[in-house]
Structures are given as C-alpha cells and as structure tokens.
Amino acid sequence: MDGDFAFQSDELTRSLSLLGERVASGQSVSAASPSFNLPSELPAQGVGGEPALMQLADGFFPPAARLGHAGYFAHMDPPTPWVSWVGALWAASCNQNLLHQDTGSGARDLEEIVVGWLAPFFGMNGGHLVPGSTLANLTALWAARELKGVRRVVASEVVHLSIRKAASLLNLAFHEVPVDSEQRLRSEALNGIDLGEAAVVITAGTAAAGAIDPLDAFPEAAWRHVDAAWAGPLRLTRHAGLLEGIQDADSVAVSAHKWLFQPKESALVLFQKPEEAHQAMSFGGGYLAVPNVGLLGSHGATALPLAATLLAWGREGIAERIEHCMELAEQLASRIAEEPELALFGQPETGVVLWRPRHSSAETVREHMQGAFVSLTQVGDEYWFRSVAANPNADPDRVVDSALAVLKSE
Ligand SMILES: *Cc1c(COP(=O)(O)O)cnc(C)c1O
C-alpha cells in the first residue's frame, strides 16, 4: 500500500502521457453522450491505478467538448492552459488544507498573495477564494447581512440565479428591477425605493447577454455588491474602463474559471473592508489553530493553478488573451451584421454575442451545425444563439459559415 502514496514515476509518467494522447486526439467540438463501461456496483476488488485510469479514459475523454476548438464559440467555460493543470496536480498531491495551518502554510500564503495581486484591479482590499461565483455571491451577501443588517436584495430581473439562491438561503427578501432593451438594470426604476436596508446587486456582464448594469448607481444602498463573475477580468485589460465604478462597491465576485482560464472550481470574493467582512463570518473551533473564515470548511490550494497561470502570462499576457477574445466577439458581430439571413441582438459589450437566424428556429439550426458549436439563451420569448468569447482559438467565420450552411440546406 505504501506505493499508493509515493511518487511512482513510471506509472505517473505513463498516466500523464495518456492525458496528452487523449486530449490531443479529441476532435469533437460539442459534447457527445458519455460511454462509461463501468460496473453498476462498487467493485470489491481493485484493478490498480493504471488500469483504473484506462477504464475511465474511454468514457471521460471522448464526450468532452473541446473548449479550445476553432468551432467552439459557446459557453463561459474557457480552455485551460497546461500550466494550470500542473498546478492542480501539485495541489492534489500535497493536499494542503487552508483550515489547518500545520498541513502546510503554503496554500494559505499563496491564496493571500494571489488575492493581493488581483484585488487592487477592482479597488478591493482583500478577500478569499471560493469554488465559484455562486458561493462568492452568497458570501458577499452574508457579509452584507451581518455587517449592515441588510434585509432585502435588490437586483435586475436578469440577475444570475445564484443571487436569488443566496437571498433565499440568507432569508432576505428579493426585489426584482426591470431591465432596458439592452438587458441593463433600469436604475431609475429604483427611484423612491428605500435602499437603507437593501443590498443592491449590480451585474458586470450578465450571464445571458453580457450586459453591464450602471456601476455608479445607488450610492445610498446599505451594501453594493458587484457580480463580475464573467466580465471582471476585463479590469486587467485595456477595456478596464467598461467596469469603471466597480472600485466603489462593498464587495465583488469574480469567477477565475471563466475569463482567467482556470480549471473549476476557482473564484474570488473580494471586499472593500476584508478584515470586517472576514471577522463577521469567522468561526472558531477547539481543534482549529486559526478561525474558520467564510462558507468553506476544508479548502485546498486552488490558488496554485491560478498563481501558476498569472506568473506564466503576467498581467500583459492575461490582457492579451482577453483582448483577443473581445476582438473575436467584435468580428463575429460584424460578420453577422453583414449576413441578411442572420440577426444580431446588439453590439457585444463584454464578449457575449447573441444572434439567430431571421427566419428559422435557432434551436433546430443549432442542432444541425457541423464543426461548430454555440450555446442557446432565451430573451423574452425568443431563443438566441449565445456565443461567449471565452475561447481564444475560436474562429468567428467558421461558426457563421456553419450556421449559414444549415440554412442553405433547409
Ligand atoms: C457564471 C456566473 C455566476 C455563477 O458563477 P459560478 O462560478 O458558475 O458559480 C454568477 N453570476 C454571473 C453573472 C455569471 O456569469
């Protein structure tokens, strides 16, 4: 059994090259149905490490959509750089726990360093990592309730569902505000509403359309949280001005597993006053050397793949990739605008392009597209293709040509 926990270089090297082969050989642009050939009950006897991985590989890799494929212009999930894979593997191999300083303080220190690198771009002074913006939003609203006695959450009707979830979990009332034709919260709709006991949630890059709510609005609210899960990383780029005003928020959520190209599950919750916020969500326990802060108990070194990526690329390298994605969205939008058969929802603000065939069902055309893949979203009663520029390798023409080919064959 000793071997299980040791560095078995031959087996490990072979298993890693299996990853290389499988990832390299995959061609499928969209997800196929899984084909695991596994026993229906937990096997009594093990087969050993390499055979176990081989057995899983056949079911795991073939159906996985290639997020870095030229035809993939769909969801907010980016392809991840190899340096982040190695970081994730290191984290798994040491299994440090931020809850227990004595499993190694590296994970904790690194998380503080990485948060220290990123928080200033948002005008925030600290925070911590969580496994997604769903939890970042919940954490931020929890702090709002504890620190400001917030009893209501006010947000636009197209706010991400995680905000409604958070309000429900925290027992806060939810007040929905209408959006304008570009999916932005209509701030004037809040005139006359008492925001004294309210946390206002401002979305920087809505999940469906990438719209940015007015970021400077509602200074009178008891708490202002910006959900920048998707578009937050624009702050590191020449498009930083799009999110001007974010620095006046009390808290900010950013998903690193979206536009910072991280493997799941990686996100930041950032605070204007992190000591206060952390104090308000700090719990001690007899066996804990340091108090447990936030929603998570045991928590590993997700900072490691993020630090590896940020060091490998630098601020400029991150910016270059995101700016390139923004250009791809622009190119896609201009091409769609030129095609009489296609309709464009509006100019993309944060790399999210909504488009559709003018005279055919978006759902049907999407099903028949070859070598390209888009996601689908509903705005009002209409379905639109949703192409999120999370993939720096995406080829806008390939995606449009693929849709036009379906229309021609109809
Ligand atoms: C993706 C997203 C979320 C949820 O983030 P996860 O990281 O998926 O938990 C919340 N808000 C917005 C605007 C998003 O785009």
Side-chain angles (χ1 to χ4, degrees):
M1 260 183 271
D2 289 352
D4 290 339
F5 305 106
F7 185 75
Q8 293 290 3
S9 60
D10 287 353
E11 275 199 286
L12 181 60
T13 312
R14 281 198 302 271
S15 301
L16 287 177
S17 55
L18 167 77
L19 170 72
E21 284 160 30
R22 293 303 178 111
V23 170
S25 69
Q27 293 300 321
S28 148
V29 57
S30 57
S33 35
S35 52
F36 285 109
N37 184 16
L38 295 172
S40 59
E41 280 174 27
L42 175 67
Q45 264 91 45
V47 292
E50 274 186 276
L53 290 171
M54 290 302 288
Q55 238 178 311
L56 289 168
D58 291 336
F60 184 75
F61 289 107
R66 307 296 156 196
L67 304 180
H69 187 288
Y72 195 91
F73 212 142
H75 289 285
M76 289 177 169
D77 307 85
T80 50
W82 67 264
V83 70
S84 71
W85 310 347
V86 177
L89 186 64
W90 287 8
S93 69
C94 290
N95 210 18
Q96 293 186 18
N97 192 346
L98 269 74
L99 202 52
H100 300 302
Q101 195 89 297
D102 39 9
T103 63
S105 61
R108 182 179 278 267
D109 292 350
L110 197 60
E111 184 162 313
E112 271 178 31
I113 291 168
V114 169
V115 168
W117 285 349
L118 294 173
F121 287 96
F122 303 91
M124 298 292 115
N125 294 300
H128 59 271
L129 298 192
V130 286
S133 284
T134 296
L135 291 189
N137 287 335
L138 175 58
T139 308
L141 292 174
W142 181 22
R145 192 189 70 178
E146 298 305 305
L147 292 171
K148 294 290 156 101
V150 155
R151 297 152 70 98
R152 287 194 300 153
V153 176
V154 175
S156 99
E157 58 183 317
V158 301
V159 77
H160 190 265
L161 57 96
S162 58
I163 299 294
R164 292 173 201 266
K165 254 192 232 176
S168 163
L169 284 166
L170 294 167
N171 204 19
L172 305 172
F174 183 80
H175 184 104
E176 185 178 288
V177 185
V179 291
D180 64 17
S181 61
E182 286 162 64
Q183 301 280 295
R184 291 180 301 222
L185 182 146
R186 285 181 41 227
S187 46
E188 72 279 8
L190 285 188
N191 286 346
I193 294 181
D194 176 14
L195 297 175
E197 287 188 330
V200 171
V201 176
I202 302 163
T203 306
T206 56
I212 305 177
D213 288 339
L215 280 161
D216 55 354
F218 329 115
E220 71 279 26
W223 189 275
R224 295 167 76 253
H225 173 65
V226 177
D227 178 359
W230 162 247
L234 285 172
R235 289 298 287 174
L236 280 70
T237 75
R238 66 182 165 83
H239 303 288
L242 286 173
L243 272 59
E244 177 57 29
I246 198 170
Q247 63 277 10
D248 299 324
D250 294 292
S251 54
V252 174
V254 184
S255 287
H257 56 215
K258 290 180 174 174
W259 237 350
L260 289 175
F261 304 96
Q262 289 308 290
K264 292 173 194 69
E265 298 156 347
S266 184
L268 299 101
V269 58
L270 302 171
F271 295 100
Q272 189 70 254
K273 296 184 177 156
E275 289 82 15
E276 252 181 60
H278 285 170
Q279 185 62 38
M281 53 180 77
S282 169
F283 291 79
Y287 68 105
L288 294 175
V290 287
N292 179 201
V293 170
L295 284 165
L296 304 178
S298 293
H299 168 47
T302 21
L304 196 57
L306 181 54
T309 309
L310 295 173
L311 275 178
W313 292 351
R315 205 271 311 153
E316 290 178 7
I318 297 274
E320 199 183 313
R321 285 158 179 91
I322 297 175
E323 287 166 8
H324 177 65
C325 287
M326 286 285 272
E327 277 158 31
L328 295 177
E330 292 293 332
Q331 287 168 22
L332 179 62
S334 335
R335 174 75 199 280
I336 292 161
E338 280 169 17
E339 297 294 341
E341 294 298 312
L342 302 175
L344 180 66
F345 182 81
Q347 283 308 315
E349 238 187 320
T350 62
V352 181
V353 185
L354 300 191
W355 56 297
R356 64 176 168 80
R358 276 189 198 280
H359 312 293
S360 309
S361 138
E363 290 158 282
T364 317
V365 173
R366 175 174 176 264
E367 265 167 39
H368 292 97
M369 282 166 70
Q370 301 285 325
F373 188 71
V374 295
S375 58
L376 210 55
T377 192
Q378 206 177 350
V379 182
D381 332 315
E382 274 173 336
Y383 277 103
W384 292 79
F385 295 153
R386 171 172 166 273
S387 289
V388 180
N391 170 18
N393 300 328
D395 176 354
D397 284 323
R398 181 182 181 125
V399 179
V400 173
D401 289 341
S402 158
L404 292 178
V406 178
L407 294 178
K408 238 186 213 144
S409 69
E410 273 182 342

